[in-house]
Structure formats: C-alpha cells, structure tokens
Amino acid sequence: MSLSLFSAYHRCARSTGVVAPRVRNHIDAGPAYLASPAGWSLLWFDFRMAIKVALEHRTTYHFDRLVDVHPHVVRLRPAAHSRTKIDAYSLTVDPAGHFINWQQDAFGNYLARLVFPERTRKLEITVGLIADMAVINPFDFFIEDWAEHVGFDYPAELRAELAAYLAPVDEAGEGSGPGALVQRWVKEFAGDRAGTGWSNISAETRTIDFLVQLNDALRTDVMYSIRMEPGVQTPDHTLRSGVGSCRDSAWLLVSILRRLGFAARFVSGYLIQLTADVEALDGPSGPAADFTDLHAWTEVYLPGAGWVGLDPTSGLFAGEGHIPLSATPHPTSAAPITGATGKCKATLDYENVVRRIHEDPRVTLPY
C-alpha cells in the first residue's frame, strides 16, 4: 500500500483536530492501519478531544391543496451500532395531529411509523441530535484468528444467519446475479477463484489490508457526483459510466464484496465533516466549513469485529463522522423517508446544518 494513502488518513485525522497519532509497534495488538513494505501496526489515537455538535435536518413538503397523507415510515434515528456517541435526539413532525409508533425493522434498525388522520397542506419532519465527535480509530477492532487472512469462509451456522447479506446482487432481474462488468472488475482485482482464495491475492494477505486496497481501488475507478434522480444505479451502470453518487458507489461495493465472499450491507446515514484547526502541509485540508448531509456507505461483516464501515466515496473506513441510520441488505429498505399522499402538486424544501456547541481546548486550538 502506497504512502500516499497513508497521508490521506493523516489528512483525515487532521481535519478532526488530531495532530499526530502515535504508532503502537506491536502487530498483535490489532489489525494493521495501513500496509506498507515495512508493515504498519495499529495507529492509536491515545487521547479524546471533546467537540460536541448539534445537527438539524429538516425536510418539508408543501402541497398545493389539502391532501390525505398516507402512513409514512421515517428511518432517521441513529442505529444502535453507531460508534459515535449520541447525547440527545428528537424527531418533530408537523402537522401536530399525528400518531407515531417507534419500531424496529427485521434488521434491527429504528423506524418511526407516522399516521395522519387529517388532511394537510404541509408535511415537515425535523431531526435534531447532539453528537460527541471524539476521534474514533476505525481500525480499533480484532478479527478472529481464522479470518485474519483473505480466503476465510464463514462457519455454516453464521453463514445461515448472514444469508441475506451474502446473496448476489442482481444486475438485471431476480436471480440474474452480478453483471458482466462487476465480474470483470473482481477478476481484474482479485483474479480467479482458487480454492478458498483468489489467484491474484497471496494467502498471506491480511483481510484488513485487502479491504483497504479494495475500498481505495473503487474510489479511484468511480468519480463522485451529486445525483438528484431517485433510486440507485445498478452496479454495472456505475462501472460503465465511471460516475456515481455515494449511494451508487456503496451499492457497487456491496455487490463486489459479496462476489468476493464477504457478507455486506448498504448503509444510509449522516456524514459530519468538521474544518481542520490548521491547514495541511501536504494535500487538501478538508472542508472549508463544517458540513453535514445524508450519506451512504457499506458495511462488511468480519468475524470478531462485527460490522465494519467502508466509505468508497472517500476510500476511507467509517469514523466518528459517519452516523448510521439504517443498514439493510438492499438500498430500497434503507430509504430515509417513504410514504405517499393524495393527488397534488408538491414542492420539497430540504435543510441539513451542523454547528459546534462545545469544544475543549487542544494543542491545535488552545483557546
């Protein structure tokens, strides 16, 4: 793995206020942060800086007449497996005369089912939360010894439990399986299947190093674009065009991981990016202003570690800025808001803002 990617992780760390993470020089302590000829061991962020942020996400539908609003499902509550600590959360719905039932879907995600007994000209859904942006090392986990290297297979019992996340992603229709371009991409990256491994991948390749390379390779091959059209592109379409939104790249990575034998799922969530305290000496310094928006990424199931987030849009693993809302086998069941209304003309207003509400003094911002 090139040191340029190593620098990218340093830039990501600096964007959240980390100056210089310390290297623990014993490989057995955990999976490698990045691979290099000399071999990097886990990069350990051995302090916790306190930055708390308030996020407000408002979605407003204006209707040109009084209309019936049919039941809606809202998937905008941080998931139970979020590594970012959520200190407070609220969901406010207008019109006030509604019924709300909090539930969990078949995959353990929180969802709110809304029922509206009266007609209305406006529907507004507002999420407010306070998040503790303490730095999270995305590689702070252990993998079972038998899954430490590429080519492992899930035990039969676990494989049955992960069945929905191992099912091939259909390109054309039910049962069609991955498209020709996904199959070609996997073959060029990993080679042909050879026993439990792959011909281009050494049996000594550590699983975490393999995933780092895979995630970055996909970031290189697919250019990010904001796409306002509804739905998610098929994986082959994304590879053919070389352009996709975050949800397109996430679904493509799910397809590739499953093709490689990994259990993978699609994740919808919030992304929070904070400005750096100081400009980077090499490469970009990150966003010019604090930023948040809905985002999508992928999670892969690693025995011993559980679900681990990979963001193919940035080529990084999920950190404190990734707050999962819904994680499912297919994107359609992770949509933030679903529902219908009576016949009308509707306009949509959308606002997603983040502001800092608490900061502890730190080396790069002492006062």
Side-chain angles (χ1 to χ4, degrees):
M1 180 58 60
S2 68
L3 290 181
S4 61
L5 185 56
F6 176 77
S7 298
Y9 279 91
H10 269 263
R11 289 195 297 272
C12 179
R14 280 197 295 269
S15 72
T16 55
V18 177
V19 182
R22 187 176 68 184
V23 178
R24 274 198 310 204
N25 195 25
H26 44 288
I27 295 175
D28 290 340
Y33 194 102
L34 288 175
S36 70
W40 284 94
S41 61
L42 181 65
L43 286 179
W44 181 29
F45 299 117
D46 58 349
F47 58 89
R48 287 292 182 266
M49 101 184 146
I51 296 181
K52 293 182 185 289
V53 300
L55 179 151
E56 184 175 273
H57 172 207
R58 188 186 309 274
T59 305
T60 309
Y61 301 92
H62 296 278
F63 311 120
D64 66 342
R65 68 196 74 177
L66 284 170
V67 295
D68 291 317
V69 178
H70 303 301
H72 277 57
V73 173
V74 178
R75 302 176 182 88
L76 291 173
R77 178 173 168 180
H81 72 288
S82 173
R83 298 180 70 188
T84 303
K85 183 183 176 184
I86 305 301
D87 291 338
Y89 173 84
S90 67
L91 177 68
T92 306
V93 180
D94 185 24
H98 65 273
F99 298 96
I100 181 170
N101 294 102
W102 282 104
Q103 308 170 6
Q104 285 184 283
D105 64 15
F107 311 107
N109 302 296
Y110 297 117
L111 58 86
R113 188 174 189 274
L114 304 173
V115 176
F116 304 92
E118 304 290 338
R119 290 186 169 192
T120 184
R121 288 183 177 271
K122 183 180 81 169
L123 171 60
E124 186 170 82
I125 298 170
T126 305
V127 170
L129 62 83
I130 295 175
D132 186 340
M133 299 297 288
V135 175
I136 292 174
N137 177 2
F139 297 93
D140 186 15
F141 55 79
F142 293 94
I143 300 178
E144 296 285 3
D145 290 344
W146 52 267
E148 186 73 21
H149 297 90
V150 174
F152 74 87
D153 198 7
Y154 299 104
E157 185 176 348
L158 178 58
R159 191 173 187 83
E161 294 172 348
L162 294 171
Y165 307 103
L166 288 164
V169 173
D170 295 328
E171 177 68 26
E174 187 174 353
S176 63
L181 295 184
V182 167
Q183 295 183 50
R184 184 189 308 165
W185 195 97
V186 170
K187 185 172 183 177
E188 290 177 354
F189 181 81
D192 295 313
R193 191 73 175 176
T196 58
W198 297 85
S199 60
N200 290 357
I201 308 299
S202 168
E204 298 303 313
T205 302
R206 289 157 62 91
T207 299
I208 190 64
D209 299 336
F210 175 79
L211 293 173
V212 167
Q213 295 175 49
L214 172 67
N215 197 35
D216 189 57
L218 196 58
R219 176 198 61 82
T220 301
D221 286 354
V222 179
M223 183 176 67
Y224 172 70
S225 175
I226 297 176
R227 191 170 63 81
M228 302 305 293
E229 298 84 0
V232 179
Q233 295 175 172
T234 66
D236 267 23
H237 181 98
T238 301
L239 283 176
R240 185 180 302 110
S241 63
V243 177
S245 65
C246 57
R247 62 188 184 276
D248 301 321
S249 293
W251 187 228
L252 170 58
L253 181 54
V254 168
S255 181
I256 289 172
L257 285 168
R258 292 184 188 176
R259 180 70 176 171
L260 289 165
F262 292 93
R265 63 185 184 182
F266 180 92
V267 183
S268 171
Y270 290 121
L271 176 66
I272 298 176
Q273 293 180 298
L274 303 181
T275 56
D277 294 336
V278 295
E279 290 189 13
L281 296 178
D282 57 334
S285 298
D290 294 346
F291 166 84
T292 186
D293 206 348
L294 284 171
H295 192 50
W297 59 95
T298 305
E299 289 180 348
V300 60
Y301 190 86
L302 301 179
W307 292 105
V308 176
L310 289 76
D311 188 344
T313 300
S314 63
L316 303 177
F317 277 45
E320 68 279 357
H322 294 76
I323 302 177
L325 299 172
S326 185
T328 60
H330 195 279
T332 54
S333 49
I337 301 174
T338 56
T341 68
K343 187 176 181 180
C344 67
K345 181 181 290 185
T347 57
L348 169 65
D349 291 327
Y350 173 88
E351 184 180 35
N352 208 336
V353 296
V354 65
R355 60 185 179 88
R356 305 187 192 203
I357 59 173
H358 173 81
E359 293 189 67
D360 281 347
R362 51 193 181 275
V363 174
T364 51
L365 196 66
Y367 306 110

